[in-house]
Amino acid sequence: MPTNFTVVPVEAQGGERDSAERDAWRQEEEEDNRDRGSGERGEQGGVRRSGDGISRESSPFINSAEMDRGNMYEGKNMALFEEEMDSNPMVSSLLNKLANYTNVTQGVVEHEADEDSKRKEVKVPRMGTFIGVYLPCLQNILGVILFLRLTWIVGTAGVLESFIIVFMCCACTMLTAISMSAIATNGVVPAGGSYYMISRSLGPEFGGAVGLCFYLGTTFAGAMYILGTIEILLTYISPSAAIFKAEEVGEETEAMLNNMRVYGTCIIILMAIVVFVGVKYVNKLALVFLACVILSIIAIYAGVIKTAIDPPDFPICLLGNRTLSKRSFDVCAKFTERNNETKTTNLWLLFCNSSLPTAMCDDYFSLNNVTEIQGIPGILSGVLIDNLWSTYSEKGSIVEKKNQPSVSGSEDIKIAGRPYVFTDIMTYFTVLVGIYFPSVTGIMAGSNRSGDLKDAQKSIPTGTILAISTTSFIYLSCIVLFGACIEGVVLRDKFGEAVNGNLVVGTLAWPSPWVIVIGSFFSTCGAGLQSLTGAPRLLQAIARDGIVPFIQVFGHGKANGEPTWALLLTAAICEIGILIASLDSVAPILSMFFLMCYMFVNLACAVQTLLRTPNWRPRFKYYHWTLSFLGMSLCLALMFICSWYYALIAMLIAGCIYKYIEYRGAEKEWGDGIRGLSLNAARYALLRVEDGPPHTKNWRPQLLVLLNLDCEQLVKHPRLLSFTSQLKAGKGLTIVGSVLQGTYLDKCVETQKAEENVKALMAVEKTKGFCQIVVSPSFRDGISHLIQSAGLGGMKHNTVLMAWPQSWKQTENHFSWKNFVDTVRETTAAQQALLVAKNIDLFPTNQERFTEGNIDVWWIVHDGGMLMLLPFLLRQHKVWRKCKMRIFTVAQMDDNSIQMKKDLQMFLYHLRLNAEVEVVEMFENDISAFTYEKTLMMEQRSQMLKQMQLSKNEREREAQLIHDRNTASRSAPAVKASVAAAMPEKVQMTWTKEKFVAEKHKNKDTNVSGFKDIFNMKPNQSNVRRMHTAVKLNGVVLNKSQHAQLVLLNMPGPPKNRKGDENYMEFLEVLTEGLDRVLLVRGSGREVITIYS
């Protein structure tokens, strides 16, 4: 309300009245602005956080801290809503915020901008589908495997099986692209790629595990590209640059691996420096590298067309059916004619011990002829028929031509050192799948750039699917064309030894093999740089999300946001791949990580589709959960096809990361599908449980634990939760409840604080369950509400656990004996079991261990078997595991104690419980004077409390009467009449001094006579008998179980007559007197343990 008003006379003109109103509005608005300004200053200087203390994602929607509050109050026609505008912005402000919303990878600052500064102007994305998605995907998919290994795969697996391999892998990526398109078009996806999509769809645990696996895959991909670069350099461009050379026959492979390690380490250091110094140059060179790839592919197709007209001349030298390496000789013949003389060739010297025609030669060399065939016979030659079928071989076997005549020689002579073309690894179908799959990865390149696209929701599906379709056509067509144009022995010659050390696919290219060699060299260099650029940023995004604590150090970088530490880790992991030094060994490793990533993309789409969450509204409509499920199954199958042990290792790594994030508590709420899946599963399970009560075999205590809180909302008896965790061991339902007295509007803050304190204690005590705090005008009603309404559906509690009210004799105690007795009655009415822990503060903590002792069960009356079941459950926990179970039962005069013991032992045997059995005989005897006196003292105390309460009421009435008298003496007769008319039911009393003194003496005499009657009273016989039972039974229990670690005892029910409630508490106190730890048990009225299987 404004404090200053401007009064305008009624006679004033309309213009004066309007100006006065404007002044009043201005004053009121200035005051409101001052109030809001102070509130805004309180919010500045920190990150805006929600109630749970978790930083939320930056959002243009509700509660955005950057909202310009000055614009919210423009226009007084919105004054009706101004109190809500702190939390709910106006639509105009919301739309303005959405228009200026920029998509940056969450937790990552772009390297062009400083980390601590905000952008002053919004960068307008300008890339379309072709430049922004299609070409990057094309560049990432087409790469080193196409140039270095595809011809070898076709020659080894044959055209048909190669077609199957490529089709499976391309189908896998196409199905993944469909799922990815659905997720990417379901709202704004910042430039976090697959990690962002998986983590926001499947939760932080899956997101962190799969994100790190995708990071490892990208890092090893960089190692594979670098190894491919070195292979091209040392094998096809400059073989003389090798540092290590083979000194003996058979050491060529080891020398090559050492060269790869040395050169690879140098190149990775150089690339890391380039990425560290100028990442923008890497991005600018991307188009150059892409141009190299495209030109190389065009050269391949041009070469295929040329083979139909004029096949290139690449002769292959064969000895019998064995392929010879032309690195060691020049003429493919045994003899040559020179000046009409027959002379032996260099090839002769490789197989014979001298150059003389009569020299001793290799047996196979002597028996077979040397022939030359064309390595590239051309597309019209019909060689496709020969290359249809697979030719798998062992490691070190000779590459042989099918259907070529050959005479076998002596097997005693070693073939090592002969100029044959050997296979370097053992080949079979699954190995080729693992080596080939990296050539179809890279489909995430478009989604990684979603922040730079004009319309990401349109461009990502279109560009990605088109790129996969294009590359799939290229791969499938190349398989057929390679098989139709190139001789089989050349295809199986991995390093081109039979064609003078040329790149095999280069021999097919037009106009020159160097087009492919140079193009593939630069494309692999570029791909390696791209991997070293993208992987550190992915790791930085994961680190800054804060879901994996041990990698948070890698979220830091240079002042401009460059991920320096992440780059160092990436280079170190990449060096591991370099030290492996074999492209064929590294490829299956990264295949595992990429396949796992794609599998979870498909899983995310399938889960979201099946759950039908309201937020699942992708613009891309051509998806179905069956396609996602098929893609997920195909990814899983390919993982085990490639390498079952690599697949298990990758899953183990992902599983460890998942459990680590779950253990450390990923306090992120991203609205993920796994949470929705859990809710759906919980709903389904609850509906199933609702069908009927559980069978006796499935019965277990579902606890409602009633806690008592102090004035600071802290738990008074923490050991009650310790005992709960020992009894439950994480199984079944546990609801921890407490009651605050008052109204919810007044106690809202205290309720939140109490809930936080209880949950914190539950975490410390490892009590798995739910917390429920109830606010009620009376403590008694709150307990009743909890007993009636706690739980949901079939997941309701069947047992109430509470602590014995130690100070029940103090009437000021909130949890007085009346509340306790009423709770006992209500649990009985609700057919729920009741456990009352007496001396709860003496119960053990979860860290204590009893090395010896007994758990004694005093089975007085049958309660459904609760007394038998509870010790068994307790002994499952480490605290009570070494305690022995003893069962005592009481025999009366007419009982056969020997037979009772046998029957009880047989009963326990059928229950499969190990326990000592003892029958205690309690004979009837006269009631002792001690029992009589104790009963009398109990009743006298009860009567005295009633008298004290009565005298207290009389004193209050006396004070009220005096107050009424004084009030009446000051009031005027007219006021008296009006009050009497308004409240006719009120009794009007006239007091005189004599009446007041007489009434006072009357009350005093009544009190004195009441106190005299207390000392002359006789005890009730029913109470005497109950006290006799309590004293007698207590003596027997003390005699047998005084030193037991825990005593379980039947809890007698409260009297039907409510007038004896205070005596009931006294009976229970006498019954358990002298025992350290007692658990009073009252059954629910149903059987909870059975002898049947």
Side-chain angles (χ1 to χ4, degrees):
M1 291 291 292
T3 54
N4 299 319
F5 295 89
T6 304
V7 181
V8 181
V10 177
E11 296 82 12
Q13 298 298 323
E16 294 178 0
R17 183 164 58 249
D18 291 344
S19 62
E21 289 176 357
R22 282 195 298 270
D23 293 341
W25 276 111
R26 191 176 297 110
Q27 290 179 3
E28 183 177 353
E29 186 171 359
E30 287 175 358
E31 292 177 2
D32 290 344
N33 287 337
R34 283 195 297 271
D35 294 339
R36 286 193 297 270
S38 62
E40 288 177 4
R41 285 191 296 273
E43 287 183 359
Q44 291 175 354
V47 180
R48 190 181 183 96
R49 298 179 179 271
S50 61
D52 54 3
I54 302 169
S55 301
R56 297 300 187 199
E57 301 175 33
S58 58
S59 169
F61 302 103
I62 295 174
N63 290 331
S64 182
E66 295 87 3
M67 183 68 69
D68 185 8
R69 297 186 179 225
N71 297 329
M72 289 200 299
Y73 299 102
E74 290 181 1
K76 289 301 171 183
N77 54 345
M78 288 293 128
L80 183 62
F81 299 95
E82 66 182 12
E83 290 186 358
E84 301 177 19
M85 288 184 183
D86 285 335
S87 57
N88 302 331
M90 287 174 58
V91 174
S92 58
S93 303
L94 172 65
L95 295 177
N96 180 54
K97 192 71 179 175
L98 276 173
N100 295 328
Y101 184 53
T102 56
N103 300 326
V104 186
T105 305
Q106 187 185 15
V108 180
V109 182
E110 292 185 350
H111 60 271
E112 292 89 354
D114 187 81
E115 188 175 9
D116 298 325
S117 63
K118 296 181 180 178
R119 292 188 200 86
K120 294 184 179 179
E121 57 184 32
V122 178
K123 179 183 176 182
V124 180
R126 289 174 291 183
M127 287 195 292
T129 303
F130 186 75
I131 299 293
V133 180
Y134 181 76
L135 290 182
C137 285
L138 214 64
Q139 179 190 0
N140 280 267
I141 295 172
L142 299 173
V144 63
I145 301 295
L146 170 64
F147 301 118
L148 295 183
R149 294 291 183 270
L150 190 58
T151 53
W152 173 72
I153 291 173
V154 172
T156 305
V159 173
L160 293 180
E161 289 188 24
S162 300
F163 201 91
I164 293 172
I165 292 172
V166 173
F167 182 79
M168 277 198 311
C169 296
C170 292
C172 175
T173 54
M174 179 62 78
L175 292 171
T176 303
I178 292 172
S179 300
M180 183 194 71
S181 300
I183 298 173
T185 57
N186 186 51
V188 179
V189 177
S194 59
Y195 162 68
Y196 186 91
M197 289 188 288
I198 293 171
S199 62
R200 270 55 177 182
S201 298
L202 294 180
E205 293 89 357
F206 277 108
V210 181
L212 285 178
C213 286
F214 189 59
Y215 162 75
L216 291 174
T218 308
T219 305
F220 275 103
M224 185 188 72
Y225 292 132
I226 292 171
L227 291 174
T229 303
I230 303 165
E231 184 176 314
I232 295 170
L233 176 67
L234 297 181
T235 308
Y236 308 113
I237 297 179
S238 178
S240 60
I243 299 173
F244 299 91
K245 301 189 184 291
E247 297 178 357
E248 296 181 7
V249 176
E251 293 184 355
E252 294 86 356
T253 303
E254 188 63 32
M256 185 62 179
L257 293 178
N258 289 330
N259 286 320
M260 301 275 269
R261 293 182 180 106
V262 173
Y263 274 94
T265 304
C266 296
I267 289 179
I268 199 171
I269 292 173
L270 182 63
M271 285 187 173
I273 293 172
V274 170
V275 172
F276 178 77
V277 173
V279 70
K280 57 184 177 181
Y281 300 112
V282 177
N283 295 328
K284 289 179 180 178
L285 288 172
L287 284 177
V288 177
F289 300 139
L290 177 61
C292 293
V293 176
I294 294 174
L295 286 175
S296 301
I297 293 171
I298 293 172
I300 293 172
Y301 283 108
V304 171
I305 295 171
K306 184 178 179 297
T307 61
I309 305 167
D310 181 21
D313 183 25
F314 279 100
I316 306 300
C317 189
L318 298 177
L319 175 62
N321 65 350
R322 297 177 179 179
T323 310
L324 298 176
S325 172
K326 279 197 172 181
R327 292 180 186 272
S328 305
F329 62 94
D330 51 355
V331 178
C332 183
K334 294 181 180 181
F335 305 98
T336 57
E337 294 287 337
R338 292 181 184 175
N339 300 325
N340 296 325
E341 291 183 12
T342 301
K343 292 186 177 182
T344 57
T345 61
N346 291 335
L347 181 62
W348 179 276
L349 292 174
L350 294 172
F351 285 93
C352 303
N353 58 3
S354 72
S355 59
L356 297 175
T358 59
M360 183 177 291
C361 297
D362 180 85
D363 195 16
Y364 187 84
F365 181 76
S366 302
L367 296 174
N368 291 278
N369 295 324
V370 176
T371 57
E372 262 192 341
I373 61 171
Q374 277 298 325
I376 314 290
I379 195 170
L380 303 178
S381 63
V383 75
L384 178 64
I385 304 300
D386 297 332
N387 292 330
L388 280 178
W389 311 108
S390 61
T391 310
Y392 299 118
S393 58
E394 298 287 332
K395 179 179 179 180
S397 59
I398 301 171
V399 176
E400 298 177 345
K401 178 175 169 53
K402 300 175 184 177
N403 304 322
Q404 182 76 8
S406 172
V407 179
S408 299
S410 175
E411 299 298 330
D412 297 335
I413 301 174
K414 295 182 179 179
I415 61 173
R418 306 302 185 193
Y420 294 126
V421 177
F422 297 99
T423 56
D424 63 334
I425 62 171
M426 190 173 87
T427 53
Y428 42 91
F429 181 81
T430 57
V431 167
L432 299 184
V433 175
I435 292 173
Y436 173 75
F437 187 80
S439 64
V440 296
T441 59
I443 62 173
M444 301 290 183
S447 63
N448 290 344
R449 299 173 179 231
S450 60
D452 300 324
L453 301 173
K454 286 181 183 177
D455 187 358
Q457 298 190 358
K458 177 183 177 183
S459 297
I460 289 175
T462 308
T464 305
I465 293 174
L466 278 178
I468 293 175
S469 302
T470 304
T471 53
S472 299
F473 171 78
I474 291 172
Y475 283 128
L476 293 171
S477 62
C478 281
I479 286 173
V480 178
L481 294 176
F482 290 163
C485 295
I486 306 175
E487 181 61 50
V489 291
V490 179
L491 289 172
R492 293 194 296 278
D493 183 7
K494 185 185 288 187
F495 302 108
E497 295 180 20
V499 286
N500 301 320
N502 283 302
L503 184 61
V504 174
V505 70
T507 61
L508 182 63
W510 182 86
S512 168
W514 285 101
V515 175
I516 299 290
V517 172
I518 301 300
S520 60
F521 178 78
F522 281 110
S523 70
T524 50
C525 277
L529 281 171
Q530 292 284 353
S531 297
L532 283 180
T533 304
R537 279 164 177 73
L538 177 60
L539 181 63
Q540 188 182 46
I542 300 171
R544 290 193 174 180
D545 261 350
I547 58 175
V548 187
F550 69 85
I551 66 167
Q552 286 187 356
V553 65
F554 300 108
H556 305 294
K558 293 195 296 186
N560 61 355
E562 278 297 303
T564 309
W565 293 107
L567 178 61
L568 290 175
L569 180 65
T570 303
I573 297 174
C574 202
E575 178 64 19
I576 296 174
I578 297 296
L579 294 177
I580 296 174
S582 172
L583 189 148
D584 299 326
S585 300
V586 173
I589 296 175
L590 64 101
S591 295
M592 291 302 112
F593 293 123
F594 279 121
L595 278 167
M596 183 171 290
C597 176
Y598 296 164
M599 181 177 71
F600 280 101
V601 169
N602 285 295
L603 176 63
C605 181
V607 166
Q608 297 278 27
T609 307
L610 289 172
L611 288 179
R612 298 178 183 174
T613 51
N615 191 52
W616 180 247
R617 302 185 301 274
R619 292 190 178 276
F620 180 77
K621 301 297 181 185
Y622 306 102
Y623 71 94
H624 195 265
W625 70 267
T626 53
L627 294 177
S628 301
F629 187 78
L630 180 62
M632 181 182 68
S633 304
L634 189 55
C635 288
L636 186 62
L638 283 174
M639 286 178 69
F640 283 92
I641 287 173
C642 293
S643 174
W644 64 268
Y645 48 89
Y646 278 166
L648 292 177
I649 291 171
M651 288 182 171
L652 180 64
I653 292 172
C656 290
I657 297 170
Y658 179 95
K659 295 305 292 183
Y660 175 78
I661 297 173
E662 186 181 51
Y663 173 74
R664 290 299 301 266
E667 295 180 356
K668 300 286 182 181
E669 176 53 59
W670 288 331
D672 52 271
I674 292 297
R675 184 174 178 84
L677 186 64
S678 302
L679 291 173
N680 269 21
R683 170 185 166 275
Y684 175 77
L686 283 172
L687 291 174
R688 289 290 302 273
V689 172
E690 186 74 10
D691 291 344
H695 191 271
T696 303
K697 291 186 291 186
N698 296 327
W699 194 94
R700 65 168 62 245
Q702 316 284 13
L703 291 182
L704 169 63
V705 185
L706 298 179
L707 294 179
N708 201 8
L709 305 178
D710 59 16
C711 57
E712 296 182 358
Q713 317 307 331
L714 297 174
V715 179
K716 283 188 177 180
H717 304 293
R719 298 287 179 93
L720 198 61
L721 286 181
S722 303
F723 183 71
T724 302
S725 62
Q726 294 160 22
L727 184 63
K728 299 291 290 180
K731 305 295 189 299
L733 174 71
T734 302
I735 302 173
V736 180
S738 187
V739 177
L740 297 181
Q741 195 165 353
T743 59
Y744 186 72
L745 289 178
D746 298 332
K747 296 284 186 178
C748 182
V749 177
E750 288 88 340
T751 304
Q752 293 180 357
K753 182 180 178 183
E755 188 170 353
E756 290 174 3
N757 292 339
V758 172
K759 285 183 176 180
L761 184 61
M762 289 173 67
V764 171
E765 299 293 342
K766 298 181 180 179
T767 304
K768 297 180 180 179
F770 309 96
C771 175
Q772 189 168 352
I773 306 296
V774 172
V775 182
S776 178
S778 72
F779 197 84
R780 165 75 191 77
D781 291 341
I783 295 292
S784 178
H785 296 159
L786 275 175
I787 292 174
Q788 293 178 61
S789 61
L792 178 64
M795 286 297 287
K796 291 182 70 68
H797 62 279
N798 55 27
T799 306
V800 177
L801 173 62
M802 60 195 299
W804 172 264
Q806 297 287 355
S807 55
W808 65 272
K809 295 181 180 180
Q810 301 175 8
T811 55
E812 292 80 8
N813 184 30
H814 290 293
F815 201 84
S816 64
W817 55 269
K818 285 188 177 181
N819 292 336
F820 177 80
V821 177
D822 286 340
T823 303
V824 175
R825 285 196 175 99
E826 288 199 350
T827 55
T828 304
Q831 295 183 339
Q832 295 173 3
L834 177 65
L835 308 178
V836 179
K838 191 177 180 190
N839 300 326
I840 185 63
D841 295 329
L842 298 179
F843 276 59
T845 63
N846 289 328
Q847 288 71 38
E848 295 181 42
R849 301 287 183 269
F850 287 135
T851 56
E852 57 182 1
N854 300 312
I855 299 177
D856 287 355
V857 177
W858 285 86
W859 193 19
I860 312 299
V861 294
H862 182 56
D863 57 353
M866 277 283 287
L867 282 170
M868 310 292 180
L869 187 62
L870 292 176
F872 171 77
L873 295 175
L874 280 175
R875 291 179 69 236
Q876 307 299 312
H877 197 273
K878 295 178 182 179
V879 174
W880 307 91
R881 186 164 294 165
K882 294 186 179 181
C883 292
K884 295 180 180 179
M885 179 178 170
R886 297 193 304 180
I887 296 183
F888 298 91
T889 188
V890 177
Q892 302 296 323
M893 282 289 294
D894 301 333
D895 296 329
N896 186 345
S897 58
I898 298 175
Q899 188 62 38
M900 279 182 66
K901 184 173 182 178
K902 289 181 180 179
D903 294 341
L904 183 54
Q905 287 174 337
M906 182 59 65
F907 181 58
L908 292 176
Y909 174 78
H910 288 305
L911 289 176
R912 290 90 63 199
L913 295 176
N914 296 321
E916 296 180 14
V917 175
E918 187 170 344
V919 177
V920 178
E921 296 179 347
M922 285 183 62
F923 301 114
E924 292 185 6
N925 52 9
D926 295 335
I927 298 174
S928 64
F930 171 76
T931 302
Y932 191 88
E933 184 181 353
K934 199 167 185 68
T935 308
L936 181 61
M937 290 174 61
M938 176 188 73
E939 292 191 356
Q940 286 176 348
R941 177 184 176 278
S942 177
Q943 190 66 26
M944 190 178 297
L945 286 173
K946 288 181 180 179
Q947 293 292 341
M948 290 172 64
Q949 185 67 28
L950 184 63
S951 62
K952 179 182 178 183
N953 293 339
E954 291 292 342
R955 287 196 302 272
E956 289 176 355
R957 181 184 172 202
E958 180 180 324
Q960 182 64 38
L961 291 174
I962 296 172
H963 174 73
D964 291 344
R965 178 189 176 194
N966 294 337
T967 304
S969 64
R970 296 193 193 99
S971 300
V975 176
K976 289 183 182 178
S978 64
V979 171
M983 295 183 293
E985 72 277 2
K986 185 175 181 179
V987 179
Q988 298 293 328
M989 300 181 66
T990 304
W991 286 88
T992 62
K993 184 176 180 180
E994 292 77 9
K995 284 184 179 181
F996 179 74
V997 172
E999 183 71 19
K1000 186 174 180 181
H1001 284 290
K1002 178 183 177 182
N1003 293 336
K1004 187 180 295 184
D1005 294 340
T1006 303
N1007 291 341
V1008 171
S1009 64
F1011 282 112
K1012 286 180 180 179
D1013 292 339
I1014 291 175
F1015 298 105
N1016 296 327
M1017 65 184 297
K1018 292 183 179 180
N1020 185 284
Q1021 290 301 315
S1022 174
N1023 289 340
V1024 171
R1025 290 198 308 274
R1026 288 189 174 91
M1027 181 63 75
H1028 174 68
T1029 303
V1031 171
K1032 186 77 174 175
L1033 192 56
N1034 175 256
V1036 174
V1037 173
L1038 278 177
N1039 183 37
K1040 298 287 186 179
S1041 304
Q1042 189 170 11
H1043 301 293
Q1045 303 292 4
L1046 179 65
V1047 176
L1048 282 80
L1049 193 63
N1050 279 118
M1051 181 178 182
K1056 295 181 180 179
N1057 185 5
R1058 289 178 176 267
K1059 293 181 180 180
D1061 286 354
E1062 64 273 21
N1063 297 335
Y1064 171 70
M1065 296 294 293
E1066 191 71 45
F1067 295 147
L1068 293 181
E1069 191 77 61
V1070 171
L1071 180 64
T1072 58
E1073 192 175 6
L1075 297 172
D1076 290 339
R1077 286 181 285 269
V1078 184
L1079 186 66
L1080 295 172
V1081 180
R1082 183 161 176 78
S1084 60
R1086 62 161 294 171
E1087 294 293 331
V1088 300
I1089 194 168
T1090 178
I1091 63 174
Y1092 299 104
S1093 60

